[in-house]
Amino acid sequence: MIYLDNAATTPMSSAAISAMTQVMQETYGNPSSIHGHGRQAGKLLREARQELAGILGTKPQHIFFTSGGTESNNTAIIGYCLRHQNRGKHIITTAIEHHAVLEPIEYLVENFGFEVTILKPDNLEITADQVKNALREDTILVSTMYVNNETGTLLPIAEIGQILKGHSAAYHVDAVQAVGKLEILPEELGIDFLSASAHKFHGPKGIGFLYAASTDFDPYLHGGDQEQKKRAGTENLPAIIGMVAALKDDINHLEINFSKVQKLQEVFLTEMAGATYYLNQGKEQLPYVLNIGFPGQRNDLLLLRLDLEGISVSTGSACTAGVVQVSHVLQAFYGEDSPRLHESVRVSISPQNTEQEMITLAKTLKNIIGG
């Protein structure tokens, strides 16, 4: 079995599994309890928050633990916009965002009268000038992803952050596909909210975090005073510890991992020589995601044939009820009538993959398409 769908989820690292196992065996108290078991759990929780803050170059009070990227996105977008709707109801986002950003914004539009400007890619790129030109006096939030989950395209986060320094709008960044792969310092980048999910960087599922520059947003969950009264519910301590362990491991090997994944992609493309294909990508890319299309080949059948050979890839986001749907990202890039929407697959790579796996994928693809 060859797993190449790491943008959907990653295998847990041994560092994360080991850290979680120890906590589950030894530290089962509720971090909010005042007795000894609770204090022990609370100490681990504080230490984890401090370590995560250190990685992001910020202070612990800016870190809020959540159930993952979807909750972090919803909290930032809905929580901030509802708190500040008296200042304006205009939001800017892009057409290539994850549904966990697009749908909370749609919720605000449909239920609270917000207005949204959705930026469409220009020559496969989202530019800072597009954001600048879309800004209005009543714009209260700009929300963009850091790395596109379907194509690996990098967005100009630093440039957008610089533009927004002269505007009152808050900047939310969905960094789910970037955390653990790049050094990210939100305060230096001008980011007000940043969302992350542990299972994208070899941590456990069901845990993530939200970086927030301030507590000036409404809580999304109610019923407890946890997380500075911004996220009710008992903290999932084993998962938090596993997430921080996984992220520390990735950060400690950041350059090595990046170079290895880059090499793996090069090996794959070299082995694909002679086959007819195209790449769906912009100028600035992360090597972890490769979106590749094959003229005249149906991607749903291609996925099925690869699966029968024991190779797991996808057509895009895994958050669409387990069915092959037309990619809204590629649709934004090429238009709804483009054959690329039905010919393209996503190969997403991890440092845990091997050169032999990439060679096997290429040979299998060439056999299937007759290349």
Side-chain angles (χ1 to χ4, degrees):
M1 297 290 289
I2 297 175
Y3 184 74
L4 287 162
D5 195 19
N6 291 280
T9 194
T10 54
M12 280 182 62
S13 68
S14 58
I17 293 170
S18 177
M20 290 181 70
T21 301
Q22 184 175 353
V23 173
M24 287 189 286
Q25 290 175 334
E26 300 176 3
T27 313
Y28 44 84
N30 188 320
S32 297
S33 298
I34 60 174
H35 49 60
H37 288 85
R39 293 196 303 273
Q40 181 186 16
K43 179 175 181 291
L44 289 183
L45 183 65
R46 288 192 300 275
E47 290 173 350
R49 200 185 308 274
Q50 289 168 353
E51 287 187 288
L52 183 51
I55 291 171
L56 296 176
T58 188
K59 297 177 180 178
Q61 60 264 35
H62 297 308
I63 304 297
F64 299 85
F65 294 118
T66 69
S67 63
T70 297
E71 185 191 332
S72 294
N73 287 339
N74 276 262
T75 299
I77 294 168
I78 296 174
Y80 185 82
C81 287
L82 291 184
R83 170 71 68 93
H84 295 277
Q85 59 184 313
N86 62 317
R87 293 197 294 107
K89 288 193 170 185
H90 181 236
I91 303 169
I92 298 172
T93 191
T94 83
I96 63 172
E97 299 301 310
H98 193 279
H99 290 294
V101 165
L102 295 175
E103 292 188 16
I105 292 174
E106 183 180 354
Y107 168 79
L108 290 171
V109 170
E110 292 181 352
N111 294 279
F112 296 94
F114 280 79
E115 184 181 351
V116 58
T117 296
I118 300 178
L119 305 176
K120 296 184 178 180
D122 180 14
N123 194 26
L124 308 186
E125 301 285 337
I126 298 293
T127 68
D129 281 342
Q130 285 179 288
V131 175
K132 183 178 181 180
N133 294 335
L135 281 172
R136 306 186 331 203
E137 286 187 11
D138 62 338
T139 304
I140 62 168
L141 182 72
V142 175
S143 180
T144 73
M145 56 185 16
Y146 204 124
V147 179
N148 185 262
N149 57 300
E150 295 192 21
T151 65
T153 302
L154 280 158
L155 277 69
I157 301 304
E159 292 89 339
I160 296 172
Q162 191 64 35
I163 288 170
L164 292 176
K165 285 184 177 179
H167 194 282
S168 61
Y171 188 23
H172 167 250
V173 173
D174 177 354
V176 164
Q177 294 291 341
V179 172
K181 302 176 179 69
L182 298 169
E183 182 184 34
I184 301 174
L185 303 172
E187 293 179 9
E188 292 186 10
L189 292 168
I191 296 171
D192 297 293
F193 296 98
L194 182 138
S195 303
S197 187
H199 75 104
K200 305 294 187 178
F201 52 82
H202 304 283
K205 297 175 181 64
I207 190 67
F209 66 84
L210 174 68
Y211 160 84
S214 75
T215 57
D216 195 16
F217 60 95
D218 288 343
Y220 187 65
L221 297 178
H222 302 265
D225 291 343
Q226 294 89 351
E227 301 301 300
Q228 301 179 66
K229 299 183 179 181
K230 291 300 179 180
R231 202 277 185 181
T234 302
E235 291 92 349
N236 186 348
L237 186 62
I240 289 170
I241 298 300
M243 172 173 68
V244 174
L247 186 54
K248 284 172 59 180
D249 188 51
D250 274 356
I251 294 299
N252 288 338
H253 301 91
L254 205 62
E255 293 183 9
I256 294 172
N257 288 344
F258 192 95
S259 296
K260 180 178 181 182
V261 169
Q262 201 167 38
K263 175 65 174 175
L264 291 173
Q265 186 179 125
E266 291 171 0
V267 167
F268 169 69
L269 292 176
T270 298
E271 193 66 31
M272 287 297 294
T276 301
Y277 68 87
Y278 52 81
L279 300 179
N280 301 307
Q281 59 185 31
K283 295 176 183 177
E284 298 294 330
Q285 293 286 132
L286 269 190
Y288 290 81
V289 177
L290 185 70
N291 200 295
I292 184 170
F294 303 92
Q297 301 288 331
R298 282 179 50 183
N299 56 10
D300 55 348
L301 296 180
L302 198 57
L303 287 188
L304 184 60
R305 294 281 299 275
L306 287 171
D307 189 42
L308 290 173
E309 297 293 333
I311 300 174
S312 298
V313 299
S314 71
T315 56
S317 175
C319 303
T320 50
V323 297
V324 176
Q325 294 186 351
V326 172
S327 165
H328 73 282
V329 174
L330 296 185
Q331 192 168 335
F333 280 161
Y334 303 114
E336 61 183 17
D337 296 326
S338 172
R340 293 189 179 219
L341 276 61
H342 307 283
E343 297 172 344
S344 302
V345 297
R346 179 184 70 181
V347 178
S348 46
I349 309 167
S350 154
Q352 294 185 16
N353 289 120
T354 67
E355 291 189 16
Q356 185 56 54
E357 288 178 333
M358 305 310 295
I359 292 170
T360 300
L361 170 65
K363 288 182 176 179
T364 306
L365 280 169
K366 291 170 80 170
N367 286 335
I368 292 172
I369 66 176

